[in-house]
Amino acid sequence: MRFNKENSQLVSETNQLKLTAADGKRYLTDTLDNNGVIELSKNWASAFLDWFLYSDNTIDGQSKKKAYTLFESGLLNNLEHGSVKCLQQIHAYLFGGLHDFAGKIRTKNISKSRFS
């Protein structure tokens, strides 16, 4: 069996406690002990922190909010689609006030590694 060869388990090590369900009855339910919670948090910590710490005050948060506003406003319908000018207008809308280069064509190489 593949799981045995990989030393994998179908479920984690859990304890069963009787917890009250939505129907008011008590059922045996799988729960994690302290070690299980620590292992779970190690596996999901990065994704959880990204979600938990996400803020509308970050540049990404502000530009995302602006993107929703731009889409819902209908302003995109008035732009010349497929043109450089259109891309500049969208960029200026999304990043205006956040970056001094918003909507401008940059001439400076901003790559993080060399290229040919």
Side-chain angles (χ1 to χ4, degrees), residues 22-115:
D23 63 6
K25 296 180 182 176
R26 294 173 57 87
Y27 296 97
L28 283 176
T29 306
D30 290 338
T31 59
L32 295 171
D33 61 9
N34 288 344
N35 290 333
V37 171
I38 290 169
E39 280 302 310
L40 181 66
S41 65
K42 284 180 185 176
N43 292 323
W44 293 97
S46 178
F48 174 76
L49 286 174
D50 287 346
W51 170 81
F52 184 73
L53 296 175
Y54 181 81
S55 166
D56 284 347
N57 296 326
T58 64
I59 289 176
D60 289 341
Q62 290 179 42
S63 63
K64 184 177 180 181
K65 192 188 307 184
K66 287 181 172 192
Y68 284 118
T69 303
L70 177 62
F71 180 77
E72 292 173 351
S73 71
L75 291 173
L76 290 172
N77 298 330
N78 300 327
L79 301 178
E80 182 186 339
H81 300 284
S83 68
V84 172
K85 182 179 177 182
C86 176
L87 293 175
Q88 286 179 277
Q89 289 172 314
I90 292 171
H91 194 267
Y93 188 95
L94 296 179
F95 299 106
L98 304 174
H99 294 293
D100 58 352
F101 55 82
K104 298 176 185 172
I105 295 177
R106 289 181 265 176
T107 56
K108 181 179 176 184
N109 180 358
I110 60 169
S111 72
K112 293 183 179 181
S113 61
R114 295 178 164 234
F115 61 91

